[in-house]
Structure formats: structure tokens, C-alpha cells
């Protein structure tokens, strides 16, 4: 699976743009450490905030676009951190654990953005777009975690599944999955 790198569009303030950074200079930390970088946790969070603002103003198409962008950013970050972690596995446990933790944090943010996107699709009366997103969350989070439970509840409310979970306050897993509606 190839990773798509999202880069911010060039922002021209005037006709005389000057770029004076040398990317080969090790003291040049580059845009990824800056707060305005798109490929960063703050970049993804900024997209989530813009989506919230769009939702608050009832502009669901802009909200969906911003949430999709946030999902891509967080997914890329999670994949990159996971790749770095696996590169250090057995070499340096401190680096491995730090990158693994970042991968988990960004995956959690990705799933949060995915859930919010599914809700936007529901609000737009597009359940066919919400269902696959909710299933992705359940697979990523596990149906016993809070976001997994909420996602399954959305599937239940949509009528995609007909068995509530957890049943009558019982959070114990069951052995049969049961048939899915509307697949």
C-alpha cells in the first residue's frame, strides 16, 4: 500500500517569493516541526477544527472534505510512525516504543476523524457512505472500546446490523456474529 504524502499548497503573499532554506543543511529542521505544517498532529487537528466550524455552520460538504483530509493526515502519520517503529525493533527499544506510541496516538485521531465523517454522512442522509467508515473504526478500535461501541451503535441505528451490542448491559463478547442487513 503506497502512502500519499499531503503537501500544503504554496501560499504566495506577493510576486517576489524567496526561498532561502537549504534542505541539505542539518540545522534546517524543515516544515514538519513547524506548527503550520500539514503533515503533523497540529495539521490534522487544524483540519478537525475547520470541520467542526463547518458543521456548526451547517456546511456538511466542507466538513466532509476537511474530515477526509484529517483522516489522510492522521493515517499517513500513523503509518510513518509504525514504519519507523518497526525499523528500530530489536535495535533501540526506546526509539521503538516512542514511535509505536506516536503511531497509536495518530491512529486514534484518525479513527476519531473517521467517526465524525461517518456522522456527517448520516446527517447528509448518506448512510451508504457512513457504513464502511463505521466498520473500519470497529476493526481498528475493537468493538469493546468506547469508539468501537459508538460505531456499532451507529450501525445498529442505521439498521445495518440487527443485534445490539453490548446486550442489556452485558459487555461479554458472544460467539456468533449474526447476519448483516443491507450488505
Amino acid at each position: 500500500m503506497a502512502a500519499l504524502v499531503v503537501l500544503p499548497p504554496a501560499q504566495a503573499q506577493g510576486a517576489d517569493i524567496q526561498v532561502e532554506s537549504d534542505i541539505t543543511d542539518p540545522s534546517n529542521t524543515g516544515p514538519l516541526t513547524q506548527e503550520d505544517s500539514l503533515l503533523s498532529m497540529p495539521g490534522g487537528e487544524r483540519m478537525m477544527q475547520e470541520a467542526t466550524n463547518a458543521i456548526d455552520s451547517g456546511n456538511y460538504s466542507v466538513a466532509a472534505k476537511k474530515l477526509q483530509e484529517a483522516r489522510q493526515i492522521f493515517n499517513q502519520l500513523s503509518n510513518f510512525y509504525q514504519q519507523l517503529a518497526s525499523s528500530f525493533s530489536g535495535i533501540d527499544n526506546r526509539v521503538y516504543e516512542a514511535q509505536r506510541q506516536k503511531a497509536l496516538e495518530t491512529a486514534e485521531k484518525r479513527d476519531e476523524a473517521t467517526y465524525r465523517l461517518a456522522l456527517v454522512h448520516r446527517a447528509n442522509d448518506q448512510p451508504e457512505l457512513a457504513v464502511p467508515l463505521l466498520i473500519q473504526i470497529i476493526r481498528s478500535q475493537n468493538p469493546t472500546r468506547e469508539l468501537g461501541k459508538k460505531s456499532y451503535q451507529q450501525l445498529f441505528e442505521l439498521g445495518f446490523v440487527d443485534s445490539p451490542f453490548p446486550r442489556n448491559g452485558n459487555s461479554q463478547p458472544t460467539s456468533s456474529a449474526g447476519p448483516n442487513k443491507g450488505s
Side-chain angles (χ1 to χ4, degrees):
M1 182 173 177
L4 170 69
V5 176
V6 178
L7 298 174
Q11 297 175 345
Q13 296 294 329
D16 58 338
I17 298 174
Q18 297 178 4
V19 178
E20 296 184 20
S21 63
D22 178 4
I23 61 171
T24 61
D25 181 3
S27 65
N28 179 4
T29 58
L32 295 181
T33 59
Q34 297 174 0
E35 289 296 312
D36 62 346
S37 172
L38 194 55
L39 188 61
S40 65
M41 189 69 104
E45 289 171 349
R46 196 168 42 256
M47 289 292 126
M48 296 272 286
Q49 184 56 51
E50 290 175 17
T52 298
N53 295 344
I55 290 168
D56 291 346
S57 66
N59 193 341
Y60 295 130
S61 62
V62 169
K65 181 180 181 284
K66 295 296 182 180
L67 289 168
Q68 185 60 39
E69 290 173 5
R71 285 182 71 222
Q72 282 184 312
I73 291 167
F74 292 132
N75 192 55
Q76 289 173 1
L77 288 170
S78 180
N79 288 338
F80 292 155
Y81 289 133
Q82 186 59 43
Q83 290 170 8
L84 282 171
S86 66
S87 294
F88 282 91
S89 178
I91 297 172
D92 187 328
N93 285 338
R94 182 186 50 83
V95 174
Y96 168 79
E97 282 300 322
Q99 299 309 310
R100 186 177 161 278
Q101 185 59 39
K102 285 182 177 183
L104 291 172
E105 289 170 10
T106 52
E108 182 78 29
K109 294 297 282 184
R110 176 204 58 217
D111 293 342
E112 181 185 327
T114 302
Y115 183 75
R116 291 178 59 194
L117 180 59
L119 295 181
V120 166
H121 288 318
R122 277 200 71 183
N124 265 343
D125 198 27
Q126 299 173 308
E128 69 280 1
L129 298 178
V131 167
L133 297 174
L134 295 167
I135 292 170
Q136 286 176 12
I137 296 165
I138 293 167
R139 289 180 48 127
S140 174
Q141 290 288 313
N142 190 321
T144 59
R145 294 188 65 198
E146 189 61 32
L147 196 54
K149 287 178 189 176
K150 288 169 51 175
S151 296
Y152 189 85
Q153 180 62 34
Q154 291 291 321
L155 291 173
F156 183 72
E157 290 174 12
L158 286 168
F160 187 77
V161 296
D162 56 6
S163 299
F165 180 82
R167 296 177 197 234
N168 300 326
N170 179 6
S171 62
Q172 296 298 319
T174 58
S175 60
S176 64
N180 288 336
K181 285 185 179 177
S183 48

